[in-house]
Amino acid sequence: MEKLTFYALSAPEKLDRIGAYLSERLIRDVSRHRYGYVCIAMEALDQLLMACHCQSINLFVESFLKMVAKLLESEKPNLQILGTNSFVKFANIEEDTPSYHRSYDFFVSRFSEMCHSSHDDLDIRTKIRMSGIKGLQGVVRKTVNDELQANIWDPQHMDKIVPSLLFNLQNVEETESRSPSPLQAAEKEKESPAELAERCLRELLGRAAYGNIKNAIKPVLIHLDNHSLWEPKIFATCCFRIIMYSIQPQHSHLVIQQLLGHLDANSKSAATVRAGIVEVLSEAAVIAASGSVGPTVLEVFNTLLRQLRLSIDYALTGSYDSAAGISTKIIKEHEERMFQEAVIKTIGSFASTLPTYQQSEVMVFIMNKVPLPSSQHSIEDGKAGENRNRLTQIMLLKSLLQVSVGFQCSNMLTALPSAFLDRLLSSALMEDAEIRLFVLEILISFIDRHGNRQKFSTISTISDISVLKLKVDKCSRQDTVFMKKHGQQLYRHIYLICKEESNVQAHYEALFSLLMLISIELANEEVVVDLIRLVLAVQEIAQINEDNLTAYNRCALFALGAAYLNLISQLTTVPTFCQHIHEVIQMRQKEAPYLLPEDVFVEKPTLSKSLDHLGPEVFFWQSKISEVLGGSGYNSDRLSTPYIPQLTDEDRLSKRKSIGETISLQVEVESRNSPEREQRAPAEEITYETLKKAIVDSVAVEEQERERRRQVVEKFQKAPFEEIAAHCGARATLLQSKLNQIFEITIRPPPSPSGTITAAYGQPQNHSIPVYEMKFPDLCVY
């Protein structure tokens, strides 16, 4: 061997003849089963290959590969392993000159076949499979960097290599379960086909360029489809974890696009399969955060929302086509619900990987998909349409909640653009209690930027706020601008939500959290005053009960007001304010415990039927609060004005019963300024005595005002139509007569010099003056 090596090195042109001779000998010995000589010939070839790194090695390699192919074709496992080992040694040699005519197709096919070996003996099977994997690894190393050689990324090669590696990865549990002792287990791990397959797959993907990713991922998706591996999803998740960590980070969005395309292709597959794909997507998105989710961010969410809508349709019809299949409906609904939850979780995962400005765009995008009464085109009629609308609204708001949970933005103006906030708040006026709760939760997660949400999860009247350990920052300029722009809108919706009969404990807890978080995160002095007015107006809803709320709803509103005022009084640190609130709470504890959260927001609330006969001492009085806060520099004029929500078109668009209230409020406002009222109430002289009397009797005045308002509403709710029409008609006639007087004064023409001429029908008609006779002032003449 030494002499042969020396001869080959000193006369490299003889290498191809040496290779041809050894190849001929080996082929002859294989066919005659003289395996000892086969091993000697392979050993000689290996040593020559390792020793001779010169330009003329190319021709020698042809003979070498022919011999390896002969060994791999043999049925003897030992010869196959011998051939593979030689090929691997050859694969690790870096050749100086490229080869134009070498083909590796046979080797890819044969090594892939060995990876799937099903030999009866477990040890031999393991060895053959490992040889196959090593061989594939060798082919990849040899070809991946040489552009002139066979393109290993072609689908014809990838469709063999990738499934072979996945097949061995898949059997990891099987081989582990057969190892009898920990010592043997450790040895097995060293030579486990699964370990080797994973390493080979990582190496293959790590070398993939931008254009080759698609060809490498497609066989993975097909393999998972063919072997039904999406349903347990453990293996699929494991595969994509390997893929995401192995490829170059800047290519990660290509994998996500492939998965989305695959999800679309499987739109009519079983819900469990789609759920598996979506959960794999979710895992991949989290890993992709380090790279890029790619330029088509909204396309990702569009696909997921489209799948969500399809799933809702499937759940309602019980079939993948329009015709309903009743037999599978129960199973289908349960599975579809799981799939919907998976989609929502994935939307959250995706959104958490995005920068803040893109998260904001995504939320606007999702909100625009929510069908609302105000956008008629998105609402479907009929029972099925209503169900579909409701499910779509709930699912999209759930998705929005998932996105908003991970959303952190210091500037509320950019976080909540007007168009988004308007749509979100209009869905808060829907009759469906679940939808209202989602809207409240979304608002809370936006406003809570310091993690105070959990501290208000239970409503109570604690005597010392410091135990909550609240994180409070000074209200920034942007927050002040936000509240100036949207504050009234927020208060109005909180007020209207409080009036809903279908509210349960969760709604009151969310309302309490929202009020407290606005007070902590977005409140300046003006906002605090407005919130106190709002809560007092909510107390009035429960007290007057124009909406015929249940005893529980009324007690809950009283308790909500007590809990909020208790905390806000401690936040404002005005001793007299704290004292008044504390006195009322103490009075309630003695005489009406059912007006406090500790008795209302429990599993079995204690309620009272006699809520209309409560004494004035258990209420928080606006006049008193205005007086104590006014003395500490707060705007007492604003505090003493009762809160009345602004009226908008939203009331008419939303399916609410408040249209009667809307009319009555408008009439009430008009009736205050009506001429009849002016005639009845003569102007009274304002003196020191009258001012003093007004301050003293402010409580009585409030009561009278409330009673008057109640009568107006009652009149419009209960009076016969003719009476209301006559009342409005009389006022309309009065207005018309005034208008006629104004028109007569303004339109009357100047007197004619020639008097009046009686027309044929007996009416005196004014003579019109020709323009040329009219006298114009000098300034008017051009």
Side-chain angles (χ1 to χ4, degrees):
M1 197 64 226
E2 279 176 23
K3 285 180 181 176
L4 181 62
T5 308
F6 177 74
Y7 176 66
L9 284 169
S10 55
E13 70 278 0
K14 300 288 184 187
L15 248 181
D16 57 325
R17 287 185 62 195
I18 296 168
Y21 172 72
L22 281 171
S23 171
E24 192 185 316
R25 283 291 304 269
L26 182 129
I27 290 165
R28 190 171 66 214
D29 289 336
V30 167
S31 56
R32 291 177 182 177
H33 306 289
R34 295 162 74 176
Y35 298 125
Y37 287 112
V38 171
C39 293
I40 291 168
M42 274 324 284
E43 183 69 32
L45 273 169
D46 285 351
Q47 286 198 28
L48 284 171
L49 199 60
M50 302 307 285
C52 305
H53 286 205
C54 62
Q55 291 185 347
S56 51
I57 199 174
N58 250 337
L59 294 169
F60 173 65
V61 168
E62 290 304 315
S63 306
F64 170 78
L65 290 178
K66 200 186 293 178
M67 290 165 69
V68 171
K70 188 69 184 172
L71 291 178
L72 292 175
E73 281 173 346
S74 161
E75 289 180 9
K76 295 278 179 190
N78 289 344
L79 291 186
Q80 292 174 14
I81 292 164
L82 181 70
T84 305
N85 291 343
S86 289
F87 183 83
V88 170
K89 285 175 193 166
F90 159 69
N92 289 328
I93 295 172
E94 287 187 24
E95 294 178 60
D96 301 331
T97 51
S99 161
Y100 297 94
H101 55 278
R102 208 179 286 162
S103 170
Y104 292 100
D105 291 13
F106 166 77
F107 294 101
V108 170
S109 301
R110 185 69 190 120
F111 288 136
S112 299
E113 205 177 314
M114 286 166 72
C115 287
H116 289 87
S117 167
S118 53
H119 198 280
D120 297 336
D121 187 320
L122 177 64
D123 287 339
I124 293 173
R125 183 164 77 224
T126 304
K127 281 178 183 170
I128 294 173
R129 286 186 181 181
M130 288 191 71
S131 288
I133 298 165
K134 283 176 185 169
L136 287 176
Q137 196 173 19
V139 174
V140 170
R141 280 181 187 167
K142 200 72 192 156
T143 56
V144 82
N145 291 327
D146 193 342
E147 290 177 12
L148 295 166
Q149 302 210 352
N151 186 1
I152 202 72
W153 300 108
D154 284 348
Q156 69 203 52
H157 298 312
M158 279 288 125
D159 290 347
K160 291 172 189 169
I161 294 171
V162 173
S164 305
L165 297 175
L166 292 177
F167 174 75
N168 283 282
L169 256 178
Q170 200 181 324
N171 293 337
V172 62
E173 292 148 20
E174 192 183 310
T175 51
E176 277 175 10
S177 61
R178 289 170 188 257
S179 23
S181 70
L183 182 68
Q184 283 174 323
E187 286 173 15
K188 284 270 180 196
E189 208 155 296
K190 282 179 202 166
E191 51 184 34
S192 150
E195 294 263 319
L196 193 59
E198 184 180 330
R199 206 173 334 124
C200 185
L201 185 62
R202 286 182 186 280
E203 190 179 326
L204 177 74
L205 293 162
R207 293 168 184 263
Y210 183 86
N212 305 326
I213 293 281
K214 195 173 180 182
N215 287 350
I217 302 301
K218 199 173 180 187
V220 178
L221 297 172
I222 292 168
H223 181 83
L224 295 170
D225 281 348
N226 292 345
H227 296 272
S228 306
L229 293 169
W230 291 113
E231 290 178 40
K233 83 172 181 294
I234 299 155
F235 179 69
T237 309
C238 168
C239 278
F240 275 91
R241 209 173 278 141
I242 291 169
I243 291 167
M244 296 306 290
Y245 281 121
S246 303
I247 59 171
Q248 294 167 40
Q250 67 270 27
H251 300 157
S252 54
H253 68 276
L254 290 173
V255 180
I256 284 165
Q257 281 173 357
Q258 286 272 90
L259 276 167
L260 286 167
H262 197 64
L263 181 60
D264 272 344
N266 279 282
S267 319
K268 293 196 174 180
S269 301
T272 45
V273 173
R274 283 177 286 133
I277 300 172
V278 163
E279 294 208 19
V280 169
L281 250 172
S282 175
E283 289 273 340
V286 173
I287 299 166
S290 58
S292 64
V293 177
T296 54
V297 172
L298 291 181
E299 190 51 43
V300 172
F301 290 95
N302 201 20
T303 304
L304 289 170
L305 294 177
R306 184 167 63 246
Q307 290 298 326
L308 201 57
R309 190 174 267 277
L310 277 174
S311 174
I312 290 166
D313 284 347
Y314 295 157
L316 285 171
T317 57
S319 159
Y320 292 129
D321 298 314
S322 300
I326 294 155
S327 57
T328 55
K329 186 157 186 177
I330 298 160
I331 305 162
K332 198 71 61 63
E333 274 190 8
H334 166 68
E335 289 177 353
E336 291 298 342
R337 201 169 299 118
M338 280 170 56
F339 169 69
Q340 289 158 13
E341 293 299 331
V343 171
I344 289 165
K345 181 183 157 209
T346 304
I347 287 173
S349 299
F350 261 118
S352 64
T353 67
L354 300 174
T356 308
Y357 74 93
Q358 278 190 328
Q359 282 183 330
S360 192
E361 279 176 19
V362 166
M363 288 187 290
V364 173
F365 180 73
I366 296 174
M367 195 65 229
N368 286 338
K369 298 259 181 194
V370 178
L372 294 175
S374 52
S375 51
Q376 260 92 19
H377 65 273
S378 58
I379 284 285
E380 297 177 44
D381 296 326
K383 189 82 176 92
E386 272 182 32
N387 282 345
R388 187 173 286 111
N389 288 332
R390 182 180 174 277
L391 282 169
T392 308
Q393 285 158 354
I394 286 172
M395 288 303 161
L396 291 175
L397 288 170
K398 261 190 186 178
S399 308
L400 201 56
L401 183 57
Q402 278 286 334
V403 179
S404 66
V405 165
F407 183 71
Q408 287 294 326
C409 184
S410 54
N411 188 348
M412 293 293 288
L413 273 172
T414 52
L416 295 171
S418 296
F420 172 78
L421 197 62
D422 291 347
R423 282 185 70 87
L424 179 65
L425 289 174
S426 63
S427 52
L429 296 183
M430 290 187 183
E431 288 180 345
D432 193 288
E434 198 177 350
I435 291 174
R436 286 203 306 277
L437 190 55
F438 277 126
V439 174
L440 288 171
E441 293 289 347
I442 290 164
L443 283 170
I444 287 166
S445 60
F446 276 129
I447 294 169
D448 181 24
R449 291 168 293 180
H450 293 90
N452 290 316
R453 163 81 172 95
Q454 290 308 313
K455 293 160 188 174
F456 305 119
S457 53
T458 53
I459 310 180
S460 63
T461 50
I462 51 170
S463 54
D464 184 9
I465 200 172
S466 61
V467 298
L468 293 177
K469 295 180 179 161
L470 298 173
K471 293 175 187 168
V472 185
D473 269 355
K474 194 170 182 291
C475 179
S476 67
R477 188 176 151 276
Q478 291 101 326
D479 291 342
T480 307
V481 174
F482 173 79
M483 285 310 283
K484 272 198 186 325
K485 191 174 179 185
H486 299 295
Q488 292 304 323
Q489 201 180 1
L490 275 171
Y491 308 146
R492 176 174 177 277
H493 284 84
I494 291 170
Y495 181 82
L496 291 173
I497 292 170
C498 287
K499 295 175 83 167
E500 292 289 351
E501 264 185 81
S502 54
N503 287 346
V504 293
Q505 185 172 334
H507 290 86
Y508 296 113
E509 285 171 352
L511 283 163
F512 176 65
S513 296
L514 184 59
L515 286 166
M516 281 315 303
L517 287 168
I518 294 173
S519 310
I520 291 171
E521 297 277 353
L522 305 170
N524 52 20
E525 196 176 293
E526 192 180 320
V527 172
V528 169
V529 166
D530 282 343
L531 286 168
I532 292 169
R533 288 171 62 224
L534 171 64
V535 171
L536 290 169
V538 168
Q539 176 186 263
E540 198 175 309
I541 293 173
Q543 195 177 341
I544 298 172
N545 197 22
E546 290 171 356
D547 298 274
N548 298 321
L549 297 173
T550 62
Y552 173 76
N553 292 133
R554 293 176 72 185
C555 289
L557 290 178
F558 281 125
L560 174 70
Y564 176 75
L565 289 170
N566 173 52
L567 287 183
I568 198 73
S569 65
Q570 294 179 55
L571 278 173
T572 52
T573 62
V574 177
T576 46
F577 183 30
C578 292
Q579 189 185 343
H580 171 61
I581 302 300
H582 189 58
E583 280 170 5
V584 174
I585 289 171
Q586 277 187 325
M587 192 58 75
R588 284 187 181 185
Q589 283 167 347
K590 282 182 199 167
E591 296 187 12
Y594 45 83
L595 302 184
L596 290 173
E598 286 78 6
D599 276 40
V600 178
F601 301 117
V602 287
E603 203 172 320
K604 291 182 178 174
T606 53
L607 306 173
S608 168
K609 300 288 181 193
S610 59
L611 292 173
D612 295 323
H613 308 294
L614 295 167
E617 67 279 356
V618 295
F619 296 122
F620 301 100
W621 290 105
Q622 193 151 1
S623 52
K624 179 73 177 169
I625 291 172
S626 170
E627 186 186 317
V628 293
L629 284 179
S632 300
Y634 285 83
N635 184 342
S636 56
D637 289 347
R638 195 171 176 80
L639 264 168
S640 56
T641 314
Y643 173 77
I644 297 170
Q646 297 169 345
L647 292 162
T648 67
D649 293 341
E650 219 169 20
D651 290 314
R652 288 186 286 282
L653 291 169
S654 64
K655 294 181 177 177
R656 290 174 54 82
K657 58 184 186 299
S658 63
I659 202 127
E661 298 159 18
T662 308
I663 295 165
S664 66
L665 278 167
Q666 283 172 333
V667 168
E668 183 189 340
V669 171
E670 287 169 1
S671 64
R672 284 180 182 175
N673 306 322
S674 69
E676 297 165 23
R677 185 177 172 81
E678 281 171 25
Q679 288 164 14
R680 280 200 306 275
E684 68 175 337
E685 195 182 342
I686 296 170
T687 61
Y688 171 74
E689 283 301 318
T690 54
L691 284 172
K692 186 180 172 187
K693 192 178 177 186
I695 292 166
V696 173
D697 295 349
S698 60
V699 174
V701 170
E702 266 186 38
E703 293 258 331
Q704 285 170 10
E705 181 68 14
R706 209 175 287 125
E707 180 60 27
R708 196 188 64 73
R709 281 165 62 186
R710 193 185 63 73
Q711 284 171 0
V712 170
V713 171
E714 200 172 289
K715 178 182 173 184
F716 275 85
Q717 282 177 341
K718 295 179 181 174
F721 176 74
E722 291 77 8
E723 190 181 319
I724 297 169
H727 173 72
C728 295
R731 291 186 56 246
T733 313
L734 185 72
L735 180 65
Q736 188 61 48
S737 65
K738 289 277 183 198
L739 282 171
N740 288 342
Q741 284 174 24
I742 293 163
F743 289 147
E744 274 180 32
I745 294 163
T746 52
I747 300 169
R748 188 180 295 156
S752 142
S754 56
T756 57
I757 301 165
T758 308
Y761 46 81
Q763 288 287 334
Q765 192 178 19
N766 286 325
H767 220 353
S768 60
I769 305 167
V771 177
Y772 55 83
E773 282 186 13
M774 286 183 186
K775 299 285 182 199
F776 290 102
D778 292 345
L779 286 171
C780 294
V781 181
Y782 179 65

